[in-house]
Amino acid sequence: MTQELATSAPVSTANALELEDLEVEYKVRGAWKKVLRGVSLSIAPGESYGLVGESGCGKSTAAFAALNYLPRNGRVSSGSIHVAGKDLLAMSDADVRTLRSTQVSMVYQNPTSALNPTIHIGDQVAEVFTLQGVGGSEAQDRAKAMLQKVQISDPTGVMGRYPHQLSGGMNQRVVIAMALAKDPTLLMLDEPTTGLDATVEAEVLDLVAALRQEFGTSVLFISHNLDVILRMCDKVGVLYAGRVVEQGTVDEVFHNPRHPYTVGLLRCIPRAGARKDQGRLDTIPGFLPGLGETLPGCVFADRCALVQDVCRTDEPPLYDVGAGHISRCHFHEQAQDLPRNTSPVAVTEERPAESSDRVPVISTRNVRKTFHQDGHEVRAVEDITFTLAPGETLGLVGESGSGKTTLARLLLGLTTPDEGSVVELDGVPVAGAIGKRDREQVRSLQIVFQNPDAALNRRFSIKRIIGRALTMLMGTRGEQLDTRLRDLTHSVRFDVRLIRAKPTQLSGGLKQRVAIARAFAGDPKIVVCDEPTSALDVSVQAAILNLLAELQVKNDTAYLFISHDLGVVRYLSDRIAVLYLGRLMELGAAETVFGPPQHPYTEALLSAVPHVDGDERPRIKLTGEIPSHADPPSGCVFHTRCPRYIGDICKTEEPELKEVEPGHFWRCHYDVDELRTLQQSAPETRPEIGVSGGQRGAEPPV
Amino acid sequence: MKRFIATRILLSIVTLLILSILVFVASQVLPGNVARNILGPLADQASVDELNSQLGTDRSLVVQYWDWVTGLLTGDMGTSAIQQRSVFDIIGDSVVNSAKLALLAFLIVVPLAILGGVYAALKEGTLRDRTISLGGLSATAVPDFVWAVLLIVIFPLGLGIFKPTATAPPGSNVFEQVYYLILPAICLVFVLFGYIARMARAGTLEALDADYTRTAIIKGLPQRTVVRQHVLRNSLLPTIAVVATQIGYMIGGLVVIELIFNYNGLGKALFEAAQRKDIPVLQTGVLLVGVVYLVATLAADILYSVLNPRVRLGSES
Ligand code: SF4
Ligand code: SF4
């Protein structure tokens, strides 16, 4: 211990991480390609530094370099890396190992795959202590204490479990526990909450913030989510094509950006309640330069609307724009006047009358789905009734396991609903299973998935993929097929020259365009969009959202839009349905649902999301795990977690879905005025309630 | 988990039943009258008929099948009229002999191939990796009888060590027996090495590439611990399954090798029974091979699921 103290003493003065002019190269087909181009950054003790940028810009490479963990084909070609004052590149292998085991930790995306599937959680955490020479049972005790620190309920039980038995959020806590067990000088988090539910994300971020306070750890936080960076970091660096193009305090960079790339990124995100009918999202034209491309001038020149001749020849130096804020742009003063890439005007067309007066394209009554699992009945979807008008978007939100995707599959006929459920297309009841629907019905209901790879046959060319959809759904053949194909690719802004490519040769954004083209091939009335942009970078996401909005107006298509990104849902949706444990908790116009008075669950869900625009509503913490479908809580299914819990009535009586205002429904014992008054302030500490049936031993952390 | 094992066992039994029917039908197709085969072409028809009725071979096939199966289930394998011995004795001895040979081969090949595969994976892309992978593959690609002949030519004939026949004189101790068995065992090792090593290598590469291995390295664990604690545990799972299925595969190889080394094992017994149309021995022997194969794969499946918590405990959601 004393020795440890002695070695860590100088650490408090040295920067936790210091990259100087770091160049990293990857060997691709025999040639070295630059991935990082002279990255310099420093993280002071106790500081939290965020690194943002699109995928492929080198964020993770920078982090792995700081651990001296580059892939076999990677090398540091010049520059230096100092961790806690020590020169990493001069270290022996043994020293690097010591550094990893005592001073630097990393937490990454996909916690479940980051843990060994065949080793008990407890042993995996204890290993960190064993490595420092702590004996068997003491290592176990310390591991348990660590699990307690990361607020895992029932740490003793979790110690003896395997990763696949825990939820993603729980596993991420375990990984964080492992990372902090060594009390590191530097903690690196690489997209730690990507893929987690908003509520779980909020909990994990809270936890990291609290532990950072407690341990005084410096943090390198990598995320594509600017909101998360704003919330978690003191300083931020914007990385583009392996170069830090702007750096400063988060406040400065996000509210007074001085580089066109940062400006562009910030404009891509649907924020401040932006909606499709108010204007298009801005996008960033073009693509990231290829790996290792020689860029004599500004790395962003090819995509910058402010580009001048000088940009192409002279690398911009680091301009100090005040208060430690630096920008690598010759024209940093004009950065915020960056012309838009898309027209700000929303695509609108004369809408025939009020949409609610028209016959709904789809309507459901009492849709239910019960799965049978090991003799249990699992009610995945319970009694869902709603309608969708032509050209309207209904956003579906809720945590994972809320039944969003099951509901979508039920409508599509991919899953057959229970007896008694009614799904009507254009006022005509349809069969539950897709095989029993006629071609017309199949054609009118299409889907776009999150992962286009799953939907596109990788062996077929784009032409064949879209062509087949046209032939199968519309019976289009011959010359007509070519014309329709061209129209369709044009309408999704897919470059016709790429039509012979295979899906694997395309970027994620292009693939998603193909998937959208295919969904629109049959001129559908309804398209289910299941997280269509969550795998994409923000600039690509903006382009896809614009495209969806445009296609909707042009074709009068209705969308059922599923996303965990509430900003995105809000942008595209006319109405929102909030699901919890397979039940419809709230349904109403988007603006109504997004503001008070709102259902307590919606309120909590929304408050979990951090905002770049700094919406300062107090956070409501949703504690505990989502109860199991097999054994839902009695009364109001949300009562075990509800921040506005009334009393016994919530535990004993299930509230009806009632219309509290015209067109606004919710399932809560409160009425509209009561919640309006209540929601003017944050909820009191939640009244104590007994743990009732349905909770999986997940008590709110103390 | 229990249900999984129960269904697997049930399936094996059904497979066995089908196999027994197939074996039975197939052995009826072998040309020739059973009693005529035994008594030879010169015997008169009356004694042939008598023997047939004695042996029960004049009854309907269904009755004969039923008899055979119920006999097997009660432990009665019948007698070989040709060899004038009980089938149990003939097969029993040869099974023990084959098992000795197989065991020796496995004791050599399993650790060797796994070590080789894991080592090759750790040194991926180097010359050593290529030597092991290619060497293993070509050893497997060469037919077993070629190895057998080659080994006999090199060792007993050329260098004067080891024996060209595998049958040790009666009363030999374990070491002497191993000395006799070593060449045929090595043949089997050659045949099996490639498959097992390739599985071990592929499994290890996959585990080395996994996120959890990255976690382990970044934890600061020494390379050896990473491999032992984190990689091998996951990479050897699929290998175990392969090893067990190879048991079945190996029986095919046994026939040839036992013949060449003149070893009284199950393979040789079956071959001889087929030649002499000794149907009781043939039927029961082939069925036994089927049982061994099924039990081996069943054991592999169960072992795999016991070792793999994802299968053993199922997902909770
Ligand atoms: S230096 Fe030129 S090209 Fe680069 S960001 Fe500034 S204006 Fe654009
Ligand atoms: S009914 Fe009670 S528990 Fe349910 S949402 Fe309303 S206040 Fe909360």
Side-chain angles (χ1 to χ4, degrees), chain A residues 290-447:
Chain A
L291 203 65
E293 215 167 276
T294 31
L295 304 163
C298 170
V299 286
F300 191 55
D302 278 349
R303 300 173 75 184
C304 181
L306 293 175
V307 66
Q308 304 282 331
D309 286 345
V310 56
C311 306
R312 301 209 185 267
T313 50
D314 292 6
E315 165 82 56
L318 283 172
Y319 290 98
D320 189 342
V321 296
H325 186 175
I326 50 173
S327 162
R328 261 189 205 275
C329 173
H330 290 305
F331 304 100
H332 55 88
E333 283 114 353
Q334 293 137 43
Q336 286 167 33
D337 306 329
L338 179 78
R340 284 182 60 110
N341 181 41
T342 58
S343 130
V345 188
V347 231
T348 43
E349 224 159 75
E350 292 296 297
R351 282 275 181 98
E354 228 335 71
S355 46
S356 54
D357 299 341
R358 301 166 62 188
V359 182
V361 275
I362 192 164
S363 67
T364 70
R365 273 199 308 280
N366 307 21
V367 168
R368 274 204 175 88
K369 178 67 196 176
T370 315
F371 291 108
H372 296 275
Q373 211 174 54
D374 302 327
H376 290 293
E377 288 210 334
V378 179
R379 297 268 173 101
V381 163
E382 184 72 28
D383 200 10
I384 297 220
T385 302
F386 70 87
T387 60
L388 188 57
E392 185 193 34
T393 305
L394 177 68
L396 278 187
V397 300
E399 291 162 286
S400 49
S402 61
K404 303 183 297 260
T405 300
T406 311
L407 179 59
R409 292 178 59 89
L410 288 172
L411 300 182
L412 286 161
L414 300 174
T415 304
T416 315
D418 291 356
E419 241 4 76
S421 311
V422 182
V423 177
E424 286 177 359
L425 288 182
D426 270 332
V428 184
V430 291
I434 194 163
K436 295 194 186 134
R437 297 184 181 176
D438 62 35
R439 183 156 105 172
E440 184 66 18
Q441 290 167 341
V442 172
R443 188 179 68 73
S444 61
L445 197 52
Q446 293 289 317
I447 183 163

Side-chain angles (χ1 to χ4, degrees), chain B residues 129-145:
Chain B
D129 170 28
R130 277 195 296 272
T131 314
I132 294 174
S133 308
L134 274 177
L137 213 65
S138 20
T140 301
V142 174
D144 36 15
F145 65 87

Side-chain angles (χ1 to χ4, degrees), chain A residues 682-696:
Chain A
E684 314 260 305
T685 341
R686 194 194 141 100
E688 205 47 54
I689 53 159
V691 178
S692 78
Q695 254 204 324
R696 251 193 290 167

Side-chain angles (χ1 to χ4, degrees), chain A residues 11 14 39 71 130 164 171 199 224 240 314 319 330 348 356 380 458 472 535 539 563 579 597 620 628 657 680:
Chain A
V11 167
V39 169
T130 323
H164 75 270
N171 278 329
T199 50
H224 70 280
Y240 183 80
D314 292 6
Y319 290 98
H330 290 305
T348 43
S356 54
R458 40 160 76 228
M472 272 166 53
S539 64
S563 176
L579 297 185
I620 299 168
S628 147
L657 186 71
Q680 279 162 4

Side-chain angles (χ1 to χ4, degrees), chain A residues 599-600 636 638-639 642 644-646 650 655 667-670:
Chain A
H599 187 279
C636 172
F638 186 50
H639 88 255
C642 179
R644 303 276 178 196
Y645 180 72
I646 307 171
C650 300
R667 197 188 281 280
C668 175
H669 291 303
Y670 274 123

Side-chain angles (χ1 to χ4, degrees), chain A residues 95-147:
Chain A
D95 286 345
V96 170
R97 263 206 310 279
T98 315
L99 184 88
R100 287 175 185 164
S101 65
T102 56
Q103 298 203 298
V104 198
S105 288
M106 188 152 176
V107 171
Y108 4 58
Q109 204 181 337
N110 295 334
T112 307
S113 66
L115 292 169
N116 196 316
T118 54
I119 302 180
H120 285 142
I121 297 286
D123 293 339
Q124 298 196 47
V125 181
E127 208 172 29
V128 180
F129 296 111
T130 323
L131 199 55
Q132 296 173 351
V134 179
S137 74
E138 205 200 325
Q140 293 282 333
D141 289 347
R142 287 219 212 162
K144 188 160 26 163
M146 216 46 232
L147 290 181

